[in-house]
Amino acid sequence: MDEVNSSVVSEFVLLGLSSSQELQLFFFIFFSLLYVAIVLGNRLIIVTVTSDASLHSPMYFLLGNLSFVDICQASFATPKMIADFLSEHKTISFSGCIAQIVFIHLFTGGEMVLLVSMAYDRYVAICKPLHYVVIMSWRTCTVMVMISWAVGLVHTLSQLSFAMNLPFCGRNVIDRFFCDLPQVAKLSCLDSYIIEIVIVANSGIFSLSTFSVLIGSYVIILVTVWFKSSAAMAKAFSTLAAHITVVILFFGPCIFIYVWPFTTYPVDKVLMFYTIFTPILNPIIYTLRNRDMKKAMRKTVTHYLRSQKVSQMPLAMRNSFH
Ligand SMILES: *[C@@H]1O[C@H](CO)[C@@H](O)[C@H](O)[C@H]1NC(C)=O
């Protein structure tokens, strides 16, 4: 770090969503409900996927893990944002800010690779159905989940020292509701060209390339099915439509944020909501369109509602609930 820039920033001011007093309470209630829905919805998916034997397949294994990442992604900054709606001084310490940057890149990077794993799972299921059981073994799935966390970790650590050593010149107001690298780096006295290169070369290229891989795999799947039969095509398309929706809603903001980090759009602030909207959309998109999942979920909920009574029943009757 440059000794000359001695002006140390010990905390940042987050401007949040809006300065209007009346809106704060509305936002507080709205985002609290949204957050509860995210946690409950994804938690329900995880419980259903792990407890229902009919869902013990690679697709649901990966879906359960996606829900876990979704809860993480919605939890590293949203609760603080919600609490900030009610507070006058929306500040965050320097280390808190660095922690948010680390988490957003860890979870977003992990989620991107997990989505690639899910696309690969569909590719094998649709294009190589005879080898599905062999290729998508339990081991492959576990390795894919581990790789997604490892990639997220490497991705976030690769920018950690850059973020931590940014020289600041006293400016500390962030017009967002949480810290992310582009906004924080913008406040530093470093040449914006250097910052742009670091962000685009890392996050920008990472999101663009995973996005291309995903779109490429969907095209391969659709072309393969198209040559098989139109019925297979229709079936594959309805599954893939869910994946493609998630991918576009998730990658769209990421690509805008990290490929053009310093261009400002009127919708900039709203784009940051991908950390909230993706986690709420995933359960909706992946489950409401899926009959097996809906059935299993209903069973899980009923089971949990009855579990109180069930625990007092004889064992033979208890088993009928599984
Ligand atoms: C997610 O992955 C881990 C490790 O591979 C696995 O043990 C766990 O069961 C998965 N979670 C769900 C909900 O499927």
Side-chain angles (χ1 to χ4, degrees):
M1 195 167 152
D2 203 339
E3 297 297 304
V4 183
N5 299 304
S6 52
S7 158
V8 180
V9 168
S10 64
E11 64 175 19
F12 294 94
V13 178
L14 298 168
L15 288 189
L17 262 191
S18 137
S19 52
S20 151
Q21 249 340 297
E22 296 84 61
L23 277 177
Q24 305 293 322
L25 187 63
F26 168 75
F27 283 143
F28 176 79
I29 296 171
F30 177 75
F31 284 102
S32 299
L33 293 177
L34 200 57
Y35 182 68
V36 170
I38 290 172
V39 174
L40 288 183
N42 285 295
R43 184 87 193 103
L44 178 60
I45 292 185
I46 295 174
V47 170
T48 306
V49 162
T50 38
S51 64
D52 198 298
S54 71
L55 299 182
H56 285 173
S57 72
M59 187 170 101
Y60 294 108
F61 178 89
L62 295 172
L63 179 62
N65 272 281
L66 185 70
S67 284
F68 180 69
V69 182
D70 275 345
I71 294 180
C72 296
Q73 202 174 61
S75 299
F76 78 96
T78 315
K80 171 162 169 48
M81 175 191 82
I82 293 173
D84 275 351
F85 284 131
L86 297 184
S87 84
E88 282 287 313
H89 304 284
K90 309 179 200 312
T91 57
I92 184 165
S93 66
F94 182 82
S95 46
C97 195
I98 295 291
Q100 288 195 334
I101 294 177
V102 167
F103 284 136
I104 189 177
H105 287 275
L106 170 65
F107 299 140
T108 307
E111 174 144 359
M112 285 182 180
V113 180
L114 207 49
L115 287 170
V116 171
S117 314
M118 293 175 81
Y120 180 71
D121 166 69
R122 286 303 86 200
Y123 165 78
V124 178
I126 292 169
C127 300
K128 303 197 183 316
L130 297 180
H131 301 116
Y132 185 72
V133 183
V134 177
I135 299 177
M136 292 302 294
S137 63
W138 176 256
R139 201 165 139 258
T140 315
C141 292
T142 312
V143 167
M144 288 200 301
V145 170
M146 271 154 44
I147 288 177
S148 72
W149 283 104
V151 171
L153 196 63
V154 169
H155 166 63
T156 196
L157 290 183
S158 68
Q159 7 188 55
L160 181 60
S161 76
F162 173 74
M164 275 174 61
N165 292 317
L166 282 170
F168 288 96
C169 305
R171 285 184 301 158
N172 70 340
V173 179
I174 301 175
D175 188 16
R176 290 287 186 280
F177 51 86
F178 66 83
C179 293
D180 192 9
L181 194 55
Q183 282 72 44
V184 173
K186 218 181 197 171
L187 297 175
S188 72
C189 16
L190 213 59
D191 185 0
S192 64
Y193 182 67
I194 299 173
I195 305 171
E196 211 158 0
I197 286 186
V198 170
I199 293 174
V200 175
N202 195 330
S203 302
I205 290 182
F206 181 47
S207 33
L208 260 186
S209 51
T210 25
F211 182 69
S212 319
V213 169
L214 283 169
I215 295 299
S217 62
Y218 297 140
V219 171
I220 294 175
I221 295 174
L222 287 178
V223 169
T224 312
V225 203
W226 192 53
F227 281 111
K228 278 186 184 162
S229 74
S230 58
M233 171 84 177
K235 190 155 166 264
F237 192 78
S238 87
T239 315
L240 287 187
H243 285 238
I244 293 170
T245 315
V246 168
V247 163
I248 288 176
L249 289 174
F250 176 56
F251 279 87
C254 287
I255 288 172
F256 266 101
I257 293 168
Y258 300 115
V259 175
W260 296 280
F262 285 156
T263 324
T264 36
Y265 306 93
V267 290
D268 256 1
K269 254 190 206 183
V270 180
L271 286 183
M272 303 301 285
F273 277 124
Y274 78 85
T275 58
I276 300 176
F277 288 149
T278 324
I280 190 75
L281 281 175
N282 277 347
I284 297 175
I285 289 175
Y286 282 106
T287 53
L288 292 192
R289 307 179 70 260
N290 183 323
R291 217 180 315 128
D292 297 336
M293 190 72 196
K294 270 194 285 191
K295 213 171 81 191
M297 272 184 157
R298 219 170 292 136
K299 223 164 81 187
T300 308
V301 172
T302 323
H303 175 85
Y304 270 74
L305 290 181
R306 286 186 191 164
S307 60
Q308 205 58 26
K309 269 187 237 161
V310 174
S311 60
Q312 292 154 11
M313 283 179 187
L315 196 63
M317 276 179 81
R318 224 181 285 175
N319 288 340
S320 67
F321 284 93
H322 290 283

